Amino acid sequence: MIDPKANAAGNLAADRIDLQLIADMVAPGSKVLDIGCGDGTLLELLVKQHGVDARGLELSQSGVNNCVARGLSVVQGNADTDLSYYPDNGFDTVILSQTLQATQRPHDVLREMARIGKRLIVSIPNFGHWRVRLDLLVKGRMPVTGTLNASWYETANIHLCTLTDFTQLCDVLGLSVESCTTLSRGKAKALPGRTTRRANLLAEQGVFVLTRS
Amino acid sequence: MNATQTQNEDGETVRFDGAALKLDCGVTLETLELAYRTYGTLNKDKSNAILICHALTGDQHPAGDNPLTGKPGWWTQVVGPGGIIDTDKYFVICSNVLGGCGGSTGPQSGNPETGKPYGLDFPVITIADMVRAQNLLIDHLGIESLFCVIGGSMGGMQVLQWAAAHSDRIFSAVPIATSARHSSQNIAFHEVGRQAILADPEWHGGAYYATDAHPRKGLAVARMAAHITYLSEAALQRKFGRNLQDREAISYGFDADFQIESYLRHQGMTFVERFDANSYLYITRAMDYFDIAAENGGNLAAAFNGTATRFCVMSFTSDWLFPTPESVNLVRALNAAGANVSFVEIESDKGHDAFLLDEPEMHATLSGFLQAAAQARGLENGGRDD
């Protein structure tokens, strides 16, 4: 049940502050698809704060049921297989927050997103973060951090990349990076360019706004 | 066309005279009667009306008590004062389908050409015809746009037909445990039921109304076969297993040794008391003919292109009559059409009939969807004028 007095932003988990950042990047009243919308936190922010016509796609059935019971427009589906059913340019903005790394074919997912949406917002955990690098270098162990908090054998994150890897893939797919905002220790920082070597070392997450070049 | 309203002990009936309804089969019904019930109050804006579409053997009494039987309506779990479909807030309408035997025009109605009951002279009807008839009723009630159309199974087919053919008249749609087309397997089960009726000597080629006869045995067998399809294997096992009926050991005969046999026989026997065999033939046929994609060149999405209706599609994990892939197919088409759609698959072991039963997850979904839709429609008060 939606409590109209509740401020969804106030309930954001510390590791998902990218959601408020993303919500603020979306034009009020626009049509948005959130792929991998989870429990609908971002959708609720979009609907309540920005009056957005927001739809969601979510793999987990319990996540979907929870969303619909809260009045959100969400369908059960898989980012790898179900995006092909959406029409060309059907949405102003298509969002993929912290989901790309869990897809089977990230490049195909991005291609489909670029077909469906005029504008893409993608947030990813940065596998180039210094703690990740240090874990591997010093301990010789697969990194477990606040953002990447599952052991290698049980993680859903099967396609991790660094911010630099991601921008290179965007080049390959013909997507221009309109902006890149990094997140570290709960602080957001807008980069002047696409991304920097420094950001690739210091950022825990990156939030990219992409358009078709 | 004239409309005449009458009040009966079990609800209301409206009668349309003068080329009332042109059917898909080409025949025009000069006279059409629709028996219906309403609950709650229509607000000033006439924006709080919900149409409930009943399933194959349902009737126009979803809420309160059925005035004919004295038993609770078929969807009291969901519809009523303070309920999920709150009759204190919404104006709820439910009509007996065209072809039915609850007071609406059907094969047992008088044929104006002969003065006798139609029997098999009644024209074959479709789901679209049922929905056309409902449109006349909604016109008659002075409602331009329904807040929501809701139904399960064949009721869900009517919901989809409303969405495909009259989407400008419906703000939201909730098709439950249904499909945009009747599957080959479902047609097959219906054919078994119909053949059971046709094989009963009491059927008399459908002209049994003038006699004391009624193809009770055929209709009971049809109901028994259909009833199995409404339940899941798990539910049958849980409820009956291999338990014996009022006996310690098997009888080495063909009496109802097992509880499940006794249960099915009871289902068949009670059904014939309340349902007309010819209606069963006509309504099952209407379901078999239902295929929205076929009417749009095989493209289901084309049926819903540009729709502004908000959809909430629901299916149940153990429903093998209208299994989840049917709903997924529908949802993909709605997405392709750019529709605003929610889709939930409910975990339940109760089979197809789950939509009629106490399913908290379904109720939570329906409640959340209706609240959000009411807000989008500006029914913050829930539709009341105060």
Side-chain angles (χ1 to χ4, degrees):
Chain A
M1 237 41 50
I2 296 174
D3 176 0
K5 284 179 232 94
N7 177 4
N11 304 329
L12 282 185
D15 60 333
R16 293 313 310 267
I17 55 163
D18 60 317
L19 297 183
Q20 184 63 56
L21 196 65
I22 292 170
D24 293 339
M25 291 173 175
V26 172
S30 59
K31 193 170 169 183
V32 173
L33 175 66
D34 181 10
I35 302 166
C37 62
D39 64 2
T41 307
L42 176 58
L43 285 179
E44 207 163 357
L45 282 178
L46 290 169
V47 172
K48 281 192 192 165
Q49 295 183 351
H50 300 272
V52 164
D53 178 3
R55 322 276 172 83
L57 179 74
E58 168 58 29
L59 186 60
S60 114
Q61 193 61 61
S62 61
V64 176
N65 295 18
N66 187 21
C67 286
V68 179
R70 286 156 68 198
L72 302 166
S73 299
V74 176
V75 301
Q76 197 274 336
N78 186 328
D80 279 303
T81 54
D82 288 331
L83 295 181
S84 61
Y85 297 99
Y86 289 86
D88 296 357
N89 300 311
F91 295 90
D92 298 311
T93 302
V94 178
I95 298 169
L96 189 71
S97 66
Q98 300 286 349
T99 300
L100 186 71
Q101 74 280 359
T103 62
Q104 294 284 341
R105 301 174 64 83
H107 54 305
D108 287 339
V109 169
L110 285 169
R111 250 189 223 115
E112 282 293 82
M113 287 175 67
R115 180 185 63 78
I116 297 167
K118 296 162 197 157
R119 191 163 163 268
L120 281 55
I121 301 177
V122 181
S123 77
I124 54 167
N126 177 23
F127 210 65
H129 186 248
W130 65 268
R131 276 206 51 194
V132 173
R133 300 188 196 194
L134 207 60
D135 266 14
L136 207 53
L137 182 70
V138 176
K139 296 189 203 157
R141 302 283 307 274
M142 281 299 281
V144 176
T145 67
T147 317
L148 303 167
N149 52 14
S151 296
W152 65 272
Y153 49 86
E154 57 185 7
T155 182
N157 301 326
I158 53 174
H159 282 122
L160 289 156
C161 69
T162 69
L163 299 188
T164 308
D165 287 329
F166 182 74
T167 49
Q168 283 191 357
L169 176 60
C170 291
D171 290 341
V172 171
L173 296 175
L175 295 168
S176 357
V177 179
E178 298 292 310
S179 72
C180 170
T181 308
T182 61
L183 284 167
S184 280
R185 295 178 167 194
K187 287 206 180 77
K189 192 175 167 193
L191 295 184
R194 297 159 24 120
T195 178
T196 60
R197 289 184 65 172
R198 188 179 151 81
N200 201 33
L201 185 66
L202 298 179
E204 288 165 5
Q205 300 179 46
V207 182
F208 295 86
V209 176
L210 312 168
T211 52
R212 278 168 267 175
S213 343
Chain B
M1 189 167 56
N2 277 327
T4 323
Q5 179 86 29
T6 49
Q7 177 96 34
N8 336 14
E9 54 175 304
D10 63 331
E12 323 229 6
T13 301
V14 59
R15 178 191 165 107
F16 301 99
D17 286 301
L21 188 64
K22 192 172 183 309
L23 304 171
D24 276 334
C25 67
V27 173
T28 297
L29 286 178
E30 286 302 318
T31 296
L32 169 70
E33 285 192 322
L34 285 178
Y36 67 98
R37 282 283 293 276
T38 67
Y39 310 84
T41 313
L42 188 63
N43 65 2
K44 255 184 270 161
D45 295 343
K46 302 185 175 183
S47 60
N48 68 335
I50 295 180
L51 176 70
I52 295 177
C53 302
H54 70 72
L56 168 58
T57 66
D59 56 34
Q60 64 272 38
H61 309 291
D65 282 344
N66 182 326
L68 290 181
T69 63
K71 289 181 183 166
W74 54 267
W75 219 16
T76 48
Q77 300 267 11
V78 170
V79 193
I84 293 155
I85 298 177
D86 188 349
T87 52
D88 289 338
K89 294 178 179 173
Y90 299 114
F91 180 61
V92 175
I93 308 157
C94 185
S95 64
N96 183 222
V97 290
L98 171 69
C101 48
S104 291
T105 298
Q108 81 291 355
S109 304
N111 180 348
E113 284 175 23
T114 64
K116 293 178 189 164
Y118 277 107
L120 276 210
D121 289 334
F122 192 68
V124 169
I125 49 161
T126 63
I127 299 289
D129 292 330
M130 294 176 184
V131 169
R132 284 186 194 105
Q134 288 163 352
N135 265 270
L136 290 178
L137 173 63
I138 301 308
D139 288 341
H140 172 67
L141 295 173
I143 296 163
E144 255 175 54
S145 151
L146 291 162
F147 167 55
C148 191
V149 185
I150 302 181
S153 198
M154 187 184 83
M157 290 178 165
Q158 294 161 63
V159 172
L160 293 178
Q161 180 61 32
W162 267 94
H166 314 278
S167 77
D168 53 327
R169 291 194 88 173
I170 61 171
F171 186 78
S172 61
V174 185
I176 307 170
T178 192
S179 170
R181 58 148 179 73
H182 216 215
S183 73
S184 182
Q185 189 181 43
N186 290 2
I187 295 170
F189 280 118
H190 274 176
E191 174 61 2
V192 170
R194 284 190 296 263
Q195 287 301 330
I197 293 168
L198 303 186
D200 189 329
E202 301 274 279
W203 181 59
H204 295 297
Y208 52 84
Y209 299 109
T211 70
D212 285 339
H214 187 220
R216 302 168 64 86
K217 285 182 179 161
L219 182 59
V221 171
R223 176 62 170 180
M224 288 165 77
H227 198 79
I228 300 167
T229 70
Y230 304 151
L231 306 171
S232 70
E233 200 270 340
L236 282 180
Q237 199 60 36
R238 173 165 45 79
K239 212 165 164 186
F240 306 106
R242 292 181 51 83
N243 298 341
L244 299 179
Q245 179 69 27
D246 301 329
R247 64 199 67 196
E248 297 297 315
I250 52 173
S251 69
Y252 294 96
F254 297 102
D255 200 11
D257 275 359
F258 296 98
Q259 280 181 8
I260 178 62
E261 295 174 294
S262 171
Y263 171 77
L264 280 182
R265 289 180 188 193
H266 174 76
Q267 288 295 328
M269 278 180 337
T270 51
F271 182 63
V272 300
E273 300 303 324
R274 67 177 179 92
F275 216 82
D276 175 61
N278 284 338
S279 270
Y280 197 84
L281 297 179
Y282 277 90
I283 298 176
T284 55
R285 203 64 181 143
M287 290 177 77
D288 291 350
Y289 282 168
F290 189 62
D291 184 352
I292 291 187
E295 286 168 17
N296 290 273
N299 182 355
L300 184 56
F304 305 109
N305 255 342
T307 182
T309 304
R310 301 162 70 102
F311 291 85
C312 180
V313 180
M314 281 188 262
S315 68
F316 297 90
T317 50
S318 58
D319 181 354
W320 55 278
L321 193 61
F322 290 90
T324 292
E326 300 278 348
S327 288
V328 169
N329 187 39
L330 169 66
V331 167
R332 284 175 174 168
L334 288 168
N335 273 329
N340 183 332
V341 51
S342 293
F343 166 52
V344 167
E345 185 189 29
I346 311 281
E347 181 85 33
S348 165
D349 77 347
K350 292 175 191 153
H352 181 60
D353 264 355
F355 81 92
L356 294 167
L357 304 171
D358 182 23
E359 288 286 348
E361 216 174 345
M362 179 190 104
H363 296 170
T365 301
L366 185 55
S367 175
F369 175 78
L370 285 178
Q371 278 182 32
Q375 206 167 15
R377 179 130 161 138
L379 295 173
E380 274 83 3
N381 248 348
R384 282 169 306 189
D385 289 320
D386 53 19

